[in-house]
Structure formats: C-alpha cells, structure tokens
Amino acid sequence: MPKVSSDTLWELAAEEVRSREAEDGEEESGGTLVERTVFLMGSKAGGKTSILLRCLDRDEASKPTLALEYTFGRRARGHNTPKDIAHVWELGGGSSLSDLVQIPITPVSVASLSVILILDLSKPNALWGTTEKLLEVARSQLEKVFSKAQQQQQKSKPGARHQLFHSAARVLPKDYPDRELISPFPVPLLIIGSKYDIFQELDSDKRKVVSKTLRFVAHYYAASLILTSIKSESLMSKTKSFFSHLAFGVDKSKTMSCDSTKPLIIPAGSDSFSQIGAPPTTDVDIPSLHAKNPKDLWRKIYECVFPPEKASEQKELKDPAKDPQYSEPQIDAMRAQKDQELDQCKRNAAKTWK
C-alpha cells in the first residue's frame, strides 16, 4: 500500500469539509451551521465600533478599538435550526496598523470573507488616502492567499477540485455594468460613509464632490455604498440590512438612492459610469492634471478640492503608544519614567566611553 503524506491527508479532509459546507449552504432549509467572516476597517475614530454594535443589536457603549479586535454574531434561519455565525474582525487605528490584515484574511476565512470599509465623512481630506491605502493592503493579502491556493491546487491530483480557490474567487456576471472598465475587489465589499449628520453641514458643492467620488470608487471596485449616521434610525436600519447580507446571507436590500442631496444607498451592480457622469471639475484645469487613467483623474480632481493630509501628520500616527485614544495614565506615567531612566543611562554610558 503506497504511503500517503500527512499533508495530503489534511488537504483532502479540509476539502471534504468545505465541499459539504458549500452544499449545505445552498439549501435554505438545511440544518447545518453556516459560518461567515466579516472584516471591518476604515477611518480612525470613524465610528466603526458604534456601527458594528448597532448592526449586531448590542446595546452597549462603544470603546476605542485596540489594534485588531474580534467579536461574533448569531442569527437563526428558522425554527429548529442552528444559528449561523458571523466572525467579525475590526481593525483600529485607520491605516496605521494595516499590516494586521494578514490575521483576518487567511486561507481558512477567505472562502466566506466579506470586507466593510467605513469612511469618516466629517474628514473628507483623509477620505481618498484612507480608502486607497486600506484597499491596496487588503487586496495584496487576498492575492497572496489566492496564489497559495492555486499552488496547492497544482500540487493536488489531476482533476481534483480545490474548493477554497473556486468558492472564494469572486466572479461578476457577464451583464455587470462596465464589467470591462472596472477593477472588482476580490471579495464582496461594502463601503459605508459614517457621520452623515456632520457631513450635511458641508457646502453643497463640496458634498457633491464627495458623493460623486464615492459613487465612482464604489462602482470601480464593484462595491455596495451607503452613507449613514448612528443618529438616524432609518439609515441605520438600511445599513444593518447591508451588513446582514454579508454576515448572514440575508437577501439584498432593494432600496436605492443616487441623489447627491440625500444619503446615497447603492447596492453593488446598480450603478454605472454613465449614471455617475464626469468628475465635478469646477475651477479645475483637467489638462494640467496629467492623469494616467480615469481613477487617477478622479483622485487628482478630488485632491484639488480636498488636499490630503501632510505626510508628517500621517507618520505621527504610526506609533499607537502616542495615540491619545489609547492613553492609559498609570502605564503612560511609568513609560515616561522608564524613558527618562533610559536617557540618563545612555548619557552615563556616553561619558564612560569618552
């Protein structure tokens, strides 16, 4: 009898489990537990935790997210059936801790993974930079996971199906709007614009720039888009509907609003470049921008209206120990004392060397 390596046995066992889960997930009346993973990231202090708690129906005060935090939600599909589970990861610190995406985005989670990007509408100058940085890091990690899955598939027996790769790879329908002109995010993506109540106080022309730009970005990545506020029960109800679709497989919301004077609510696949129109070019000389592609053009026009944060300000956020939202008086006092002792030790050592 030929010897079979333990790695191969584990791969076959994992493939069998994933296959059964996929079959059970297709049966609405099935009694098998379904687990999904949702990864939240976005603007620093942008209201991610508050929105998440509302979506999970938890009546508790939100606290600043420390680096990367995990929680979960449950939902029953019907009577006498086990509750489905949503594993929820939340990344804190804006884009400063983006390297931590490798923890929630793994070969185990990617087959049922969705990503939610929450952007703080009250800080439009940081909006594009936060979006681009976080989505690039997440996409890079997803590509690494898919690449590893492909390598495993090539090593398996001829004709064998690698459930991880096939079930995780996102494929848009042939009739998806502007299918050849967009760059779909590898997994389902939801973009949430938070603090809409504060956003309404902006000048109407600037609100239009933000709204149209978010529509372009969402459509470019084949993502759903909603602008919301935790102070509005109606908007939070619609936000929860989008979240429940990703977390528990609930039917998609059919509500849609493309009016820039109102909160945008646009399910993925409902918009198009022709409906969005050209970038708002008020007081902007387009030829002088030297854009390489449509996305680059939108970015440059947006940054003409909302100049991005200075690099020096962004570098300061790289050290969570200096971030006010993570302050701990007793620990900070002890840290300051130890820093002083270290400086004194260095000075004494320098004198000794001389």
Side-chain angles (χ1 to χ4, degrees), residues 316-334:
E316 237 178 90
L317 301 177
K318 288 290 184 180
D319 186 0
K322 298 179 181 179
D323 196 324
Q325 72 168 323
Y326 301 135
S327 63
E328 293 285 350
Q330 294 182 342
I331 297 176
D332 293 341
M334 181 61 70

Side-chain angles (χ1 to χ4, degrees), residues 71-320:
T71 188
F72 66 91
R74 294 177 182 271
R75 183 185 179 96
R77 275 176 286 166
H79 298 293
N80 300 322
T81 59
K83 292 184 177 181
D84 293 341
I85 298 177
H87 302 282
V88 184
W89 293 88
E90 181 186 350
L91 178 68
S95 60
S96 62
L97 302 173
S98 57
D99 291 345
L100 295 177
V101 300
Q102 59 187 311
I103 296 176
I105 302 178
T106 66
V108 175
S109 68
V110 74
S112 61
L113 177 70
S114 298
V115 173
I116 297 179
L117 177 66
I118 298 181
L119 301 172
D120 188 344
L121 297 176
S122 69
K123 299 176 181 177
N125 295 74
L127 190 148
W128 188 285
T130 299
T131 301
E132 195 167 53
K133 175 65 182 296
L134 289 175
L135 291 184
E136 281 182 359
V137 173
R139 182 191 286 271
S140 176
Q141 176 63 17
L142 284 165
E143 289 175 350
K144 289 179 182 178
V145 171
F146 288 143
S147 177
K148 184 176 180 180
Q150 283 182 309
Q151 293 174 3
Q152 293 177 347
Q153 182 181 20
Q154 292 172 357
K155 292 179 181 179
S156 63
K157 295 180 180 180
R161 293 184 61 198
H162 198 289
Q163 292 293 332
L164 170 63
F165 179 71
H166 287 292
S167 61
R170 186 185 185 193
V171 179
L172 299 180
K174 294 182 179 179
D175 61 346
Y176 197 92
D178 306 310
R179 190 170 182 269
E180 304 299 326
L181 302 175
I182 61 178
S183 178
F185 200 68
V187 297
L189 173 65
L190 168 62
I191 298 177
I192 299 177
S194 64
K195 303 183 183 180
Y196 184 77
D197 52 309
I198 301 177
F199 176 67
Q200 285 182 298
E201 299 174 3
L202 278 180
D203 176 77
S204 59
D205 289 335
K206 290 186 176 181
R207 289 203 311 269
K208 186 176 181 180
V209 172
V210 174
S211 296
K212 289 195 70 173
T213 301
L214 285 177
R215 284 182 66 183
F216 170 83
V217 171
H219 184 56
Y220 181 79
Y221 288 110
S224 296
L225 171 66
I226 182 170
L227 307 188
T228 191
S229 168
I230 58 172
K231 296 182 179 180
S232 169
E233 291 297 330
S234 175
L235 288 176
M236 282 309 305
S237 175
K238 295 178 175 62
T239 304
K240 182 180 176 182
S241 177
F242 276 92
F243 175 86
S244 297
H245 172 67
L246 298 178
F248 303 109
V250 177
D251 291 341
K252 290 182 179 180
S253 171
K254 297 181 180 179
T255 304
M256 181 172 175
S257 174
C258 294
D259 188 347
S260 61
T261 63
K262 300 177 181 179
L264 298 176
I265 306 174
I266 308 175
S270 302
D271 214 346
S272 66
F273 288 141
S274 60
Q275 294 177 20
I276 297 171
T281 56
T282 306
D283 301 326
V284 177
D285 183 14
I286 294 181
S288 65
L289 297 179
H290 303 293
K292 300 176 182 178
N293 50 57
K295 180 186 172 186
D296 193 35
L297 176 63
W298 278 83
R299 177 183 64 81
K300 290 186 176 182
I301 291 177
Y302 184 85
E303 291 180 348
C304 284
V305 181
F306 299 103
E309 295 177 333
K310 296 179 181 179
S312 58
E313 295 175 353
Q314 294 176 351
K315 287 181 180 178
E316 237 178 90
L317 301 177
K318 288 290 184 180
D319 186 0

